[in-house]
Amino acid sequence: MEEPHAGGTPHSTAELAVDSPEAMQGLGRRLAELLRPGDLVMLTGELGAGKTTLTRGLGEGLGVRGAVTSPTFVIARVHPSLVGGPALVHVDAYRLGGGLDEMEDLDLDVSLPESVVVVEWGDGKVEDLTDDRLHVLIHRVVGDTDDDRRTVVLRGIGTRWADEDLVLA
């Protein structure tokens, strides 16, 4: 399932089925166990796909302070660790159109080494921050439906993810 990807070739890939918001949050908690300071996580999916729900689970798994909610209007929120781990920097790049220039104004490159940085809507905007990243693609049933089923594709890109098993049982 490996395929060329802008900015690098995936080193590790997994596809998971998620059938509820609770399961999406649980996936975030399990994924948090793999994350360490310096990790960049890019979340891709249409509106309502579950990006913030997944990030809420990441925050729970990382043991950070504060309710993880969509940072759409503030662009970025920092959630410090309550357990001596990395802080969670949660960014919503939806309203940022200028690519890396606008992202640089957020000083994510300063936060990245000691934090886990999660960027919603980061495609084409944050790839130059690091060669190593986890790209999470969330596909939902489209159309006028309240179906909670999602397909989540995890793509570990760069040497950081080369030996990481992304199949989270």
Side-chain angles (χ1 to χ4, degrees):
M1 189 170 197
E2 293 202 3
E3 61 187 66
H5 186 275
T9 301
H11 283 91
S12 184
T13 304
E15 186 172 309
L16 309 160
V18 177
D19 62 5
S20 69
E22 295 78 20
M24 184 68 76
Q25 201 163 330
L27 173 60
R29 284 190 298 272
R30 291 191 314 277
L31 192 56
E33 296 173 13
L34 301 179
L35 298 176
R36 58 187 188 215
D39 281 344
L40 172 65
V41 180
M42 288 176 47
L43 302 180
T44 301
E46 51 273 334
L47 287 169
K51 297 179 296 296
T52 300
T53 301
L54 178 76
T55 305
R56 190 171 298 120
L58 288 173
E60 289 173 3
L62 291 171
V64 300
R65 185 179 74 214
V68 175
T69 59
S70 179
T72 299
F73 298 105
V74 295
I75 309 297
R77 282 197 174 98
V78 177
H79 298 274
S81 176
L82 294 172
V83 295
L88 172 66
V89 178
H90 185 198
V91 180
D92 185 330
Y94 183 75
R95 296 186 304 131
L96 300 179
L100 194 58
D101 290 340
E102 281 187 271
M103 296 303 290
E104 284 178 353
D105 291 341
L106 298 176
D107 285 333
L108 293 181
D109 54 337
V110 173
S111 300
L112 190 56
E114 67 272 353
S115 304
V116 169
V117 177
V118 177
V119 182
E120 298 185 30
W121 305 99
D123 291 13
K125 300 173 183 172
V126 297
E127 289 87 344
D128 290 337
L129 286 174
T130 178
D131 291 334
D132 299 308
R133 63 190 168 278
L134 180 62
H135 194 172
V136 180
L137 297 97
I138 305 172
H139 304 282
R140 68 177 180 92
V141 176
V142 293
D144 187 18
T145 179
D146 59 0
D147 194 323
D148 287 330
R149 289 178 296 156
R150 308 286 191 263
T151 300
V152 179
V153 178
L154 305 174
R155 290 186 182 149
I157 299 168
T159 55
R160 153 67 177 102
W161 297 99
D163 297 321
E164 201 69 68
D165 182 8
L166 295 177
V167 180
L168 305 170

